Amino acid sequence: MALSRALIVALLTATIFPTISMATDFIVGDGKGWTVGFDYQTWAANKVFHVGDKLIFEYSTGEHNVFKVNGTDFRNCTVPAASQGLTSGEDVIVLETPGRKWYLCGVGDHCQNGQKLFVNVLPSETQAPSPSPLSSVLPVTVPRSPSPAPWSSPSSSPVLSKYRWVPRKLIAMFQP
């Protein structure tokens, strides 16, 4: 009996709660680094960026820089004040919030020649889990009386009957 309870707990944990993952470090442009003549949109297209991930811009100091800009400045290759640029040659940007992020090189016509990057950052995989499929099936209020739950009988609902074993504390975790 103890083994079957442990198995149930393990299965619940594995299916209801998301996998905790570590942040990913992305070297922008991979082996090419941050340079002119590279298609950064194609590079970013097959990657998924999350809050907590890092963008690492590698380039020869003095040849390039990195500016974080808004969408309009990105489209127009408008370079902000030089004091806002990153110039170390190994600039690390931590993606701290979800949403759209735009970066460009402010040297000469580098941006016009494609040295710019757009990424869409998703919420962290380690943030609180969103409601699971169980929450859309289970009732919003849990009966507190000793009377049987409305889904305890297989005849009451074929969908809800297979969830009759879910503990009330677990149900309460998924209520708003």
Side-chain angles (χ1 to χ4, degrees):
M1 182 66 166
L3 178 61
S4 63
R5 283 188 184 180
L7 182 60
I8 290 171
V9 169
L11 287 173
L12 277 174
T13 302
T15 58
I16 294 176
F17 298 106
T19 303
I20 295 176
S21 66
M22 302 300 290
T24 302
D25 292 355
F26 292 97
I27 297 176
V28 176
D30 295 324
K32 288 284 197 175
W34 185 236
T35 189
V36 178
F38 185 83
D39 187 349
Y40 292 99
Q41 293 322 116
T42 299
W43 173 84
N46 65 349
K47 294 172 178 51
V48 179
F49 302 93
H50 290 96
V51 169
D53 290 349
K54 294 177 186 172
L55 296 177
I56 302 169
F57 292 83
E58 294 181 343
Y59 54 92
S60 296
T61 306
E63 290 184 21
H64 303 287
N65 53 32
V66 179
F67 287 90
K68 182 177 181 193
V69 295
N70 62 33
T72 302
D73 289 346
F74 179 83
R75 281 187 296 282
N76 298 325
C77 286
T78 304
V79 180
S83 63
Q84 297 177 26
L86 303 173
T87 60
S88 74
E90 191 165 326
D91 303 318
V92 178
I93 297 176
V94 178
L95 302 172
E96 296 178 342
T97 58
R100 297 170 180 237
K101 312 293 180 202
W102 299 272
Y103 305 94
L104 56 82
C105 179
V107 173
D109 61 357
H110 292 190
C111 179
Q112 291 85 347
N113 289 317
Q115 193 174 356
K116 56 186 189 175
L117 171 68
F118 161 75
V119 297
N120 188 32
V121 180
L122 302 176
S124 169
E125 292 181 329
T126 59
Q127 290 178 345
S130 58
S132 75
L134 290 178
S135 65
S136 63
V137 175
L138 298 175
V140 174
T141 57
V142 178
R144 305 233 184 259
S145 66
S147 62
W151 62 82
S152 62
S153 164
S155 63
S156 65
S157 168
V159 174
L160 294 176
S161 66
K162 67 181 186 179
Y163 298 107
R164 67 179 178 257
W165 54 268
V166 177
R168 290 183 184 198
K169 286 183 180 179
L170 187 60
I171 294 169
M173 289 173 38
F174 292 100
Q175 292 182 337

